[in-house]
Amino acid sequence: TALISGFLREREATTADPDLVLDAAHLGAAYLGGVTWSTLAAAGRVQEARPGALAVADRLFATRPAPWCATMF
């Protein structure tokens, strides 16, 4: 889960309900900025547990310009 509406001062467990529900792989995709939370939700990869949490997450993780890697492998 990802906690969006509040921030913990230290790494500690919380009993608060999550705003978004997802697995670590999809958290990584959103964190790297290549896909929005709303896109992940539309694909069934993220569940919005609190109304409005997707919009907040989209703004919080937005990058301009979009990520791009010029290194060829």
Side-chain angles (χ1 to χ4, degrees):
T1 61
L3 182 63
I4 299 297
S5 64
F7 298 94
L8 301 175
R9 294 180 186 194
E10 297 179 15
R11 294 178 189 147
E12 58 188 40
T14 180
T15 58
D17 291 335
D19 294 339
L20 301 171
V21 179
L22 64 148
D23 65 30
H26 301 105
L27 175 61
Y31 181 76
L32 291 173
V35 64
T36 65
W37 290 90
S38 295
T39 299
L40 289 170
R45 304 299 189 217
V46 175
Q47 292 79 46
E48 184 177 40
R50 183 186 56 81
L54 283 171
V56 171
D58 281 344
R59 288 191 312 271
L60 183 64
F61 286 82
T63 59
R64 300 288 186 265
W68 178 69
C69 179
T71 304
M72 302 304 263
F73 291 97

